[in-house]
Amino acid sequence: HGFTMLVPGKLALQALSLVRSAPPLTDYSSQREFQDSFDRFSELLEIEGRMVPITSSEAGIEAPVNSLVQLYAAIHDTDLTWRTRTSLLVSVAVGLLNQAKALVELDKKGRPINQVETVHGETFTYTAGTGCSGAEYAMLACFRLVEVSARLSSLTILQETARQSHPESALPRLAMVGALSGSTAVLLVATLSSSPWHYWHCCSGAFAFPGPLLQPPIAKLGATSAL
């Protein structure tokens, strides 16, 4: 996992290491200059394509788990100082905004969400963002923020209620883990009937719908929101 955390920095370094194109000496660019620019742009797109799964995993799985733990600590631990509790809640708020922003980005026009390799060895994009206006973007951001906030707060309330109802039992301590595991398992079973198989979205689907919302239902992912 430690090496995985270094991958975004490594990819960013590769992008910065690309040789920059020299400014044209005349008002008209030659075919060679166009080709050089096209090659560098293709390399940047390839690096971006490798970065997307990593950042999506961080925003869709790691960020909600971190926010969930911090939110529960801020609510459950009554011995925290005001400064510590405030720091935890600020960190939770930043995490929620990060998750909402990442989910809204799925609806960006032309952004590939799911691709499959054809029998000819070519890559076919069958789910991609459709784009949206400023008003639609704002409404999507609000919905995504409410979606992830409701999910994390409901899990926190479930865990705290279970522990207060049975303080002497160790089983209520696993309430959040059990709820998330159950949601993931249900989504995993649901995706068995989809083709291609979207099993890698089941973990993120336990927190929010892992796909573009503006797509028609037939084009959406096989994994649906646990909400």
Side-chain angles (χ1 to χ4, degrees), residues 19-30 33 36-37 40:
V19 180
R20 302 175 63 180
S21 58
L25 300 178
T26 63
D27 294 337
Y28 301 96
S29 298
S30 63
E33 290 172 335
D36 290 342
S37 297
R40 274 183 289 274

Side-chain angles (χ1 to χ4, degrees), residues 35-110:
Q35 186 63 41
D36 290 342
S37 297
F38 176 79
D39 292 340
R40 274 183 289 274
F41 185 67
S42 299
E43 292 177 355
L44 284 174
L45 288 180
E46 192 271 336
I47 293 175
E48 181 189 19
R50 293 160 58 191
M51 180 77 80
V52 168
I54 299 172
T55 54
S56 299
S57 174
E58 192 280 332
I61 300 176
E62 295 182 25
V65 170
N66 293 337
S67 298
L68 181 61
V69 173
Q70 293 171 344
L71 180 60
Y72 180 72
I75 294 177
H76 175 72
D77 196 343
T78 57
D79 296 330
L80 293 177
T81 63
W82 178 86
R83 177 174 296 181
T84 302
R85 194 183 306 277
T86 302
S87 299
L88 285 174
L89 293 178
V90 169
S91 179
V92 170
V94 173
L96 292 176
L97 292 174
N98 178 37
Q99 297 162 53
K101 174 65 165 54
L103 291 170
V104 172
E105 287 296 312
L106 295 176
D107 286 280
K108 181 173 289 187
K109 184 177 182 180

Side-chain angles (χ1 to χ4, degrees), residues 121-203:
E122 301 174 349
T123 301
F124 173 71
T125 299
Y126 62 94
T127 307
T130 56
C132 52
S133 64
E136 290 173 329
Y137 194 93
M139 288 188 289
L140 278 174
C142 291
F143 174 82
R144 288 299 198 178
L145 185 59
V146 171
E147 182 183 18
V148 294
S149 300
R151 182 59 170 166
L152 298 188
S153 60
S154 63
L155 289 170
T156 301
I157 294 172
L158 172 66
Q159 175 87 6
E160 185 64 13
T161 302
R163 292 194 64 176
Q164 290 184 1
S165 302
H166 306 279
E168 299 180 356
S169 176
L171 190 60
R173 300 174 184 270
L174 303 176
M176 286 193 300
V177 176
L180 288 174
S181 300
S183 298
T184 303
V186 170
L187 292 176
L188 183 61
V189 173
T191 58
L192 294 177
S193 60
S194 65
S195 180
W197 191 22
H198 298 289
Y199 62 91
W200 58 84
H201 289 300
C202 294
C203 291

